[in-house]
Amino acid sequence: MISDEIFLAINKGCDFEDYTFGSPHNESKSCNDAIAEANSIVGQYVNNYDVILDVCYPSIVMQELRLRKYVTKISLGVDVCMSYERYFYFNLPEVQHALHANRTHLPYGWGMCSDVLNYTDKDGNINILPLLRRIVEHKIPLWIFSGDQDSVVPLLGSRTLVRELAHDMGLPVTVPYSTWFRKGQVGGWTTEYGNLLTFATVRGASHMVPFAQPDRALGLFRSFVLGQRLPNTTYPPIGD
């Protein structure tokens, strides 16, 4: 979605080894300027959590909700206005009454994120790789997966971190990077290290994998729970 020039400027100006979650990200001016330009090029009309989906227009959907109490805007099988529908639904008095919610009649509406709670950007800087390492060291299978249409936590970063973790732990590749299947279609790509550490992508999935690809998410979760590798073959062969 960005030009080669912007990509090269980010690579040259940014040192992501010491990147901080909160703005201005502990980076140089040239880095922050390049990132700002990249964000400007992508614009507001792309859903960062799923870059292939259409976007929802809040003013239009909220008007429809007030008039009809329902609206559906489908893009590639996904209701892209669900966040606004959810906000409208959970603020209906009859819904809150049925859920026994807001019994104290708070002076503000329900929202996904709250300005009342004291969130801190510092939590985003916590390095969880040592925790993941301890999990694997205790012989507990660990799977990390990414939707391949997510630009917020993109698969390239997650895949690199998993590979580096496996390298640091001396884990050999036990399943080379390859496709996995679900119901005769490619579910994504996967690789495994040391029979314990697995990285998988989910094809066509967003940041919230079950939201955009519920069946493929179910297949991935089922394999994990049953202690099975993701299926790497399907039937019948496509040439038959």
Side-chain angles (χ1 to χ4, degrees), residues 94-121:
E94 58 267 34
V95 172
Q96 293 188 356
H97 178 77
L99 295 174
H100 304 283
N102 196 15
R103 302 296 292 271
T104 56
H105 304 289
L106 296 169
Y108 50 86
W110 177 89
M112 270 292 293
C113 295
S114 171
D115 294 331
V116 179
L117 299 177
N118 184 25
Y119 294 103
T120 172
D121 284 343

Side-chain angles (χ1 to χ4, degrees), residues 6 99 113 143 177:
I6 297 300
L99 295 174
C113 295
W143 286 28
Y177 200 75

